[in-house]
Every structure is written in C-alpha cells, then in structure tokens.
Amino acid sequence: MKNYENSIIEILHTQGSFSKPFIKYGISLLKNCPLKKYLELRIFLWNSNDSEKNLKMIKEYEFFIKQNKNLYFKLMNEKLINLQRSKKKYESIIVYKWLKKNFKNISPKFRSIISISLFNYVAFSNFKVNKVRLWGEEIEINKTIKLFYLIGKSRESAKKELYEESLMYLNEAYIISKKIYHIPGILNSLNDYAWYSKKILIKNYKIIGRELFYILGYFKEKNEIKINILDTLDYVFDDFSKNKIELYLLINTLEKKNIPKKYIKLFKEAKKYELKTYINSYEIKEDLIIFFKENNYLKKGISKTTFFKIVNNKNKTIKSNTIKSILMKNPNIKIIDNIPYDFKNELYKIQIIKEYEKNKKIFKSLKSIKNKLMSTYSATLNRKKIFPNIIKNYDIFIKKDFKEIEKSIEYMFFVLKIIKSDEFTESRKDLFNKFIKKIKNKEKFLNSYLNSYEYEKNVMDIFIRNYVRYNIKWKIKLIPNKKIFKFIKVYGLNEQTANISLWYFENKEKFYFFKAIKNFL
C-alpha cells in the first residue's frame, strides 16, 4: 500500500486535477488517515470555483491532515493559494512567511511544488514581499516544476507590463505542458497567453482564444471548468460570434450559487444572450416597453393598435412573428447591448435561417450522417433545452428530409451544428468520433445510444470522452471492475482505460452508468 500511496502522490504532483480518477480510486482503498482526508479535500477544491468555500473546507480538514507533517505543508500551500484568490492580504502573508520559515523542514518530494507556489504568490501579489529561493537545477530536471515556474515568470513580467516577455515565457510553458501531457499546465499557459495577447492586441489573439476553447472542451467536463478561463474567453471573443454564443451557453449551465462574487456580472451578462430557438412568444417586460417608447420607428411592421397596446402595457405577451415583422421592416436593427432580449433572440433565429440557406448544400453532400448526428448531439451542451426534439425525429436528418427540417428553427440550427460548430463543441465531437473509430460493433453501439434514455446518454457521453482522454500509459494499475467486463469485451475496449473512465464518475453517475450499459449489450 505504501508504494501505491507514493504513486498516488506522484501522479497528483505531475497531473494535478487530471489525476482525479486515480485519486478517487485511492480514496476507496485507503482507511481513515491523513492522506485519505487530503485527497478528499483535493477533489472538493478541484470542483469548486469559490475560494471562500474552499477556505472553510480547508479549516474543517486541518485537524485531520495536521497529523502528517508533509501533507500539512501541502494543506497550508492550498490555504495560501485560496487566501490570495480571496484577496486576504494579511492572512496570506502570515501563511507565506510560515511556509518560507519552515521550508527546510519540507520533504524534497513536496518542496519543489510548494516552492513554485510561493514563487507564484510573489508574482501575483500587488504588494512587496520577500521572494523565495528557487534551485535552477531542480527547475531544469523537473518539467512540471519548470512549466509552472515559467507561468510565474510570465505573470511577474506582465505585472511590470512587459507583455512580450511574458508571452515568450508562456509559449515555452505551453510547449513543455503539451510534451508532458500536463492538462492544467496546458490550460493555464494558454489562458494567460490569450489574455495578454488581447491586452496588447497581438494579431493572433483570436486564434489563441479559439484554441483555448477547443482544449477546454477536449479535456474538461463542465463541472470542472474554472470560471477565470470563461472570463478570459469572454474578454477575447468578439461579441455575438459563434464562440461567444456557445460560451454564454456554457456559463448558463452553471449554478449561480457556485459563481464567485467577482464573476456574477459575467454570469448575468450570459443570461442576456441565452439562445432559445423554440420560443414563439415572449412576456412583455419593462425593458421592451421602454424600447418601444423610445423608438417610434418600431411602428414599421406592426399595426398602430399593436404598437400602442405594447407602449401602454395592455398586452402581456408579444409573438415571435410580430418581432420578426418589425425586424424585416427595420434591417438596421443589430444585436447590440441596448436592445431587449426578445429582439436579440429573434435576430439570432434570423441569422440561423440565413446560415442554414448558405450551408444547405454542404449538409446534402455529407456521408456517415448517423455518426455525425450522434457526435453532434453527444457534444452539445444543454441539449435537452436547445434540441428537445432531435432524437425522437432523428430520421429526418438521416433521410435529409429538407421539407421537415425547414419547418423548425431547432432543426436548422442542429444542421449547422453538424456541419461546423464552435470550437468547444467541435472538440467534444472529435472525442466521440475517436471513440467510435477505436471500438468494435460500431453500428450496434450507435443504435444502442439512439435508443437510450437521456440520463443514460449523459453518463455514456462522459465515459466516451474520458475513455479517449485517459487512453495513454499510466504507472498505476486499477483493479478491474467486474460489472463492466462484458461491455469491454463486446466493444473491444482497453480494460485499464475503461476502468479509469469508470472511476471518474461520482457514485450516483456510476450507478446510472451500470444501468446504461445493459442497453448496449
């Protein structure tokens, strides 16, 4: 068990949050001990965007973890990171000084990781604090340490407004993180690169933003995504672009209670741009009445009676077709911040129709349509809300029944998603397609997927994506779970990778997955 504990700590150090399935597996094997408590805490911290909640949880676990000197240093390191994020200057300085003073007592196995955190604490701070010493030899030997050292150096340069120097460090960090398959390193370096590139308007900042969005979808499930990355993408993407709409869709799937205060504005902004293809009428709210009162030209396209009923708050709802009629008569109305949501949504719908007409021939020429339909559906966020009728009417896409497709904005929008989606969705489509390419009995799998319940599709989607993500060599071997032996055999899956994907799930998800695979056998 001691060797396994060391392996767990090593994979935690080298892979960060990407080691989640191994950590959960380790928790299941360990008895009630400081390491088990520390690993439980790590899972919580990875799933949380709220540094205040994190600090409360760290305090709760402090008593148990203190029994292990090295893990206690790690705990204090986590405390320092979250104090800094919470902008608790004086408390963070106390913890920083304590770690610095006791640095010689930290095991070499933990010292390098903590030294980089201390270095980054200084780089992030907007106040003077004594630097910690770093050993150049250790930085060069340990690639994980080096990439976070480079990220810290880039932030130090950015603080001095030396942005080109900062980007040079980040570029090197990104290359290293890709080489050693360090997912948090890839995301952190790209996130900072996108932000600083936009800051000084480097020509390729949009390309960097799109790459970040793609990698975010490729390696992270929505519950793991850190809000600071979404904030960067909001800063980088053009307003009303395909990627911005999908970004806001992603933010709209998050729960408000889990959003830190500093990002509530972003959360509210995303709500203003929520695309609803299925709406046929809107409740008349105050912003719509004011919009009509301030813009007499809106009389074009509707009767005077309807106009004055809206202005005088006599109507409770306004039809989608009424707004569409106004927009057709007033082509200069654009999707801008100061128009009501009702108008924005209808403009989105008009854009969808125009894009569909442009791309109809491409859809007609597509082959392997069932696979493309399934990969798009699997990849789409909040699909039950946006595409509630796709699966029960999937035949119209297989047959390419344009007459039926063109009866619904929902169907036309889905066709566009099949042809070319935003980067986040495209990355998840790629994961689905790579999985299908690897397995046996492809047709059986696709038909089983089509005929599954939505909750079964949801867990199968997560399993599929993680199977591709974790399909690399690992030093740790997990004990196989007998409940998935038959499923592995039917589809010719790698036993170890399938088990790693299984251990990603929470207990409730695991229960649903065991139920789901019965329909695939």
Side-chain angles (χ1 to χ4, degrees):
M1 180 59 79
K2 194 71 183 171
N3 287 337
Y4 188 81
E5 287 178 18
N6 289 333
S7 298
I8 282 281
I9 290 166
E10 185 186 343
I11 201 169
L12 177 59
H13 281 176
T14 55
Q15 289 295 334
S17 57
F18 196 60
S19 63
K20 185 178 175 181
F22 300 98
I23 302 308
K24 291 172 90 170
Y25 180 72
I27 290 168
S28 74
L29 295 180
L30 292 165
K31 292 178 180 177
N32 206 16
C33 63
L35 179 58
K36 182 171 184 169
K37 291 294 179 184
Y38 178 73
L39 297 178
E40 286 171 356
L41 178 64
R42 283 266 21 118
I43 295 287
F44 177 86
L45 297 178
W46 286 332
N47 291 336
S48 171
N49 273 308
D50 193 328
S51 50
E52 293 290 345
K53 284 182 183 175
N54 293 350
L55 288 167
K56 284 179 186 175
M57 192 60 73
I58 287 166
K59 190 176 181 181
E60 195 176 305
Y61 276 75
E62 196 169 331
F63 172 77
F64 301 102
I65 296 170
K66 203 170 187 177
Q67 297 165 44
N68 183 305
K69 184 181 72 174
N70 287 319
L71 289 175
Y72 185 65
F73 283 125
K74 284 281 288 174
L75 181 76
M76 289 296 101
N77 189 47
E78 296 300 334
K79 188 174 184 178
L80 177 66
I81 291 165
N82 282 280
L83 283 168
Q84 188 171 37
R85 285 175 185 163
S86 300
K87 296 184 178 176
K88 296 182 186 293
K89 177 181 171 181
Y90 297 108
E91 294 100 311
S92 69
I93 289 172
I94 290 166
V95 176
Y96 173 79
K97 285 181 176 177
W98 183 86
L99 280 167
K100 199 163 177 285
K101 183 183 175 182
N102 290 281
F103 196 71
K104 61 182 182 294
N105 300 321
I106 302 171
S107 160
K109 189 164 53 179
F110 294 93
R111 193 183 294 155
S112 53
I113 292 284
I114 292 172
S115 68
I116 287 296
S117 288
L118 296 177
F119 176 77
N120 283 335
Y121 172 78
V122 177
F124 263 116
S125 298
N126 295 318
F127 46 87
K128 283 189 176 182
V129 61
N130 292 331
K131 291 184 181 181
V132 69
R133 181 187 168 192
L134 291 171
W135 284 267
E137 189 182 335
E138 192 167 17
I139 289 167
E140 289 305 319
I141 292 169
N142 190 321
K143 295 299 180 188
T144 305
I145 298 301
K146 185 169 183 180
L147 84 88
F148 282 107
Y149 166 75
L150 289 165
I151 290 170
K153 287 292 286 180
S154 81
R155 287 166 181 170
E156 200 173 49
S157 297
K159 210 161 74 170
K160 298 170 188 172
E161 298 188 358
L162 301 171
Y163 293 112
E164 289 184 4
E165 184 177 277
S166 173
L167 293 174
M168 182 188 70
Y169 287 126
L170 287 169
N171 186 53
E172 191 180 349
Y174 181 52
I175 291 166
I176 291 168
S177 58
K178 283 213 299 186
K179 195 177 281 187
I180 63 172
Y181 204 70
H182 194 289
I183 310 312
I186 292 171
L187 285 165
N188 281 323
S189 54
L190 255 189
N191 182 64
D192 288 7
Y193 203 107
W195 186 278
Y196 298 141
S197 296
K198 172 72 185 281
K199 188 101 177 162
I200 56 173
L201 295 175
I202 295 285
K203 281 183 181 178
N204 67 344
Y205 77 85
K206 290 180 186 177
I207 296 168
I208 301 297
R210 289 198 294 271
E211 189 174 353
L212 174 60
F213 206 28
Y214 181 92
I215 288 173
L216 191 66
Y218 197 93
F219 286 111
K220 294 288 181 182
E221 291 301 312
K222 69 173 187 179
N223 62 310
E224 299 174 303
I225 293 170
K226 295 298 180 186
I227 193 77
N228 67 303
I229 294 180
L230 303 182
D231 187 49
T232 296
L233 292 167
D234 180 55
Y235 177 57
V236 169
F237 289 150
D238 289 339
D239 286 343
F240 322 118
S241 64
K242 191 188 285 186
N243 279 312
K244 189 80 155 223
I245 291 168
E246 190 66 21
L247 173 66
Y248 283 161
L249 180 63
L250 173 55
I251 294 167
N252 283 325
T253 65
L254 307 177
E255 290 185 51
K256 190 177 178 181
K257 65 179 182 180
N258 296 328
I259 306 289
K261 285 177 186 176
K262 68 183 278 192
Y263 296 113
I264 288 294
K265 187 181 176 184
L266 173 62
F267 182 77
K268 287 179 178 176
E269 191 68 16
K271 282 288 173 194
K272 292 181 191 174
Y273 296 93
E274 189 175 6
L275 175 60
K276 295 176 182 175
T277 57
Y278 52 86
I279 278 190
N280 293 316
S281 66
Y282 302 88
E283 183 188 345
I284 292 176
K285 294 180 181 176
E286 191 180 350
D287 64 334
L288 189 73
I289 295 167
I290 292 167
F291 187 61
F292 271 83
K293 280 181 179 178
E294 290 177 350
N295 298 286
N296 271 327
Y297 63 81
L298 296 172
K299 288 177 185 175
K300 291 179 187 177
I302 55 171
S303 67
K304 284 183 182 179
T305 309
T306 305
F307 180 84
F308 286 112
K309 277 185 177 179
I310 292 166
V311 167
N312 296 313
N313 203 12
K314 298 289 183 185
N315 284 358
K316 289 185 179 178
T317 60
I318 182 169
K319 288 183 178 177
S320 168
N321 284 338
T322 305
I323 297 174
K324 203 177 290 179
S325 177
I326 294 168
L327 291 169
M328 297 301 281
K329 293 285 182 179
N330 297 278
N332 291 329
I333 298 176
K334 305 292 180 191
I335 305 177
I336 52 175
D337 285 340
N338 64 350
I339 68 168
Y341 170 77
D342 329 59
F343 275 75
K344 283 175 189 159
N345 199 54
E346 288 307 313
L347 279 165
Y348 282 142
K349 285 159 78 174
I350 289 168
Q351 280 182 10
I352 287 166
I353 295 166
K354 286 178 180 175
E355 283 294 310
Y356 169 80
E357 289 300 331
K358 278 186 203 171
N359 292 284
K360 191 173 168 181
K361 285 181 182 176
I362 297 172
F363 181 68
K364 196 173 182 178
S365 67
L366 289 179
K367 294 176 182 177
S368 307
I369 197 68
K370 186 190 278 189
N371 192 50
K372 287 180 169 63
L373 186 147
M374 291 298 98
S375 67
T376 304
Y377 189 79
S378 169
T380 301
L381 285 165
N382 215 8
R383 64 199 181 201
K384 201 175 176 184
K385 195 172 180 181
I386 302 167
F387 299 123
N389 302 301
I390 298 298
I391 289 297
K392 61 186 175 187
N393 296 307
Y394 77 92
D395 265 350
I396 67 169
F397 298 96
I398 305 292
K399 294 172 185 174
K400 297 179 182 174
D401 187 341
F402 291 101
K403 191 177 177 182
E404 284 301 314
I405 288 168
E406 286 160 20
K407 285 180 182 178
S408 164
I409 296 277
E410 178 193 341
Y411 296 160
M412 287 188 274
F413 187 38
F414 193 71
V415 164
L416 292 176
K417 282 263 189 186
I418 289 172
I419 296 165
K420 176 66 178 169
S421 301
D422 58 280
E423 266 69 19
F424 186 87
T425 308
E426 282 298 319
S427 69
R428 287 152 67 101
K429 282 161 74 171
D430 287 348
L431 289 167
F432 187 95
N433 291 328
K434 284 178 183 179
F435 178 82
I436 296 299
K437 195 175 178 180
K438 284 177 184 290
I439 65 171
K440 296 192 301 187
N441 299 313
K442 294 173 175 51
E443 198 62 27
K444 177 181 173 66
F445 186 91
L446 291 171
N447 288 331
S448 300
Y449 183 91
L450 268 173
N451 296 315
S452 297
Y453 291 111
E454 187 62 24
Y455 80 87
E456 292 172 333
K457 286 187 182 74
N458 285 331
V459 289
M460 188 56 71
D461 290 338
I462 296 168
F463 177 85
I464 287 167
R465 290 193 285 266
N466 281 322
Y467 184 87
V468 179
R469 288 166 182 156
Y470 287 97
N471 193 25
I472 58 171
K473 285 185 179 179
W474 297 95
K475 290 180 181 177
I476 299 176
K477 282 205 168 186
L478 279 59
I479 298 167
N481 190 309
K482 291 178 183 178
K483 289 182 181 179
I484 61 169
F485 273 176
K486 197 173 178 183
F487 179 72
I488 288 168
K489 193 175 179 182
V490 168
Y491 296 106
L493 302 179
N494 178 286
E495 188 180 273
Q496 190 62 201
T497 309
N499 273 287
I500 294 167
S501 305
L502 182 68
W503 274 101
Y504 175 89
F505 289 129
E506 302 298 335
N507 288 336
K508 191 177 179 181
E509 291 170 323
K510 206 180 281 185
F511 171 76
Y512 286 148
F513 182 73
F514 291 142
K515 282 186 77 176
I517 59 174
K518 290 175 185 176
N519 297 324
F520 285 78
L521 299 176

